[in-house]
Amino acid sequence: MGLKVLSVLPAERSSVFNITSDTTLTQARHDGAIIKIDHVSSVSTINLPAASDAEGMKVTIIVGQTVTSDFNIDGQAVSAIRMHAVADEGAEATNTAWGVNRYIVYDESEGSGLGGAANGVIGDICELVCTGGFWVAKCFSRTGTWVSDADGTI
C-alpha cells in the first residue's frame, strides 16, 4: 500500500473592481469578477458584453455605497437579460418579479437606505451568468430596487 499525495489547490479568488463611472465589462477582464458600485451618483450604465461573445461568463454586481441615482445594466440587445428579482422586506421574500428585457435598472428611489432615507441599499446584489444566447440574472435587494426594463428609463 503506497502513500497517496493529495494536492490542495488554493481557492479561486474573485477580482473586485470598484467602479465610480460608466463601465463596459469584457469577458477577458471581468469574468468571475465582483463589480462594486463605489460612488453615490456617477455610475449610470454598466455595459455587459453581447451574449454571443460571453458564453459562460459570470459577474456579480454589488451596491457598495448608499447610491442616490439610478443605474442601468445594459444587455446590448432586446430580450438579452432574463431576470428574477427578489426583495427581502423582513421575515419573507416579497415583490418577486420576472422580466425579459434589454436592461436591468437599479431604482434607488425604491430603497429604504439607513434611517429610512429613499436611497439605494448597500449590499443589494445582482448575479449574472451568460448562456451564449442571453444573460440570466438573479437580483436580490432589501426593498425591490431591481427592475427589468425595455429602454432603461423607468
Side-chain angles (χ1 to χ4, degrees), residues 48 59 61 73 80-86 97-99 101 103-104 125-131 134-140 146 148:
L48 298 172
V59 65
I61 298 171
I73 301 170
I81 303 173
R82 275 89 169 141
M83 179 191 84
H84 185 208
V86 177
W98 172 256
N101 278 301
Y103 295 94
I104 296 173
I125 187 169
C126 190
E127 300 171 326
L128 296 115
V129 177
C130 185
T131 68
F134 53 86
W135 287 90
V136 177
K138 297 183 301 181
C139 303
F140 301 91
W146 301 100
S148 177

Side-chain angles (χ1 to χ4, degrees), residues 66-78:
T66 304
V67 296
T68 60
S69 63
D70 297 350
F71 65 85
N72 296 328
I73 301 170
D74 186 348
Q76 307 303 318
V78 174

Side-chain angles (χ1 to χ4, degrees), residues 82-124:
R82 275 89 169 141
M83 179 191 84
H84 185 208
V86 177
D88 177 7
E89 296 187 8
E92 61 185 77
T94 61
N95 295 334
T96 60
W98 172 256
V100 178
N101 278 301
R102 176 176 175 157
Y103 295 94
I104 296 173
V105 178
Y106 184 80
D107 181 5
E108 63 81 24
S109 67
E110 293 296 320
S112 66
L114 297 173
N119 295 120
V121 179
I122 294 171
D124 283 357

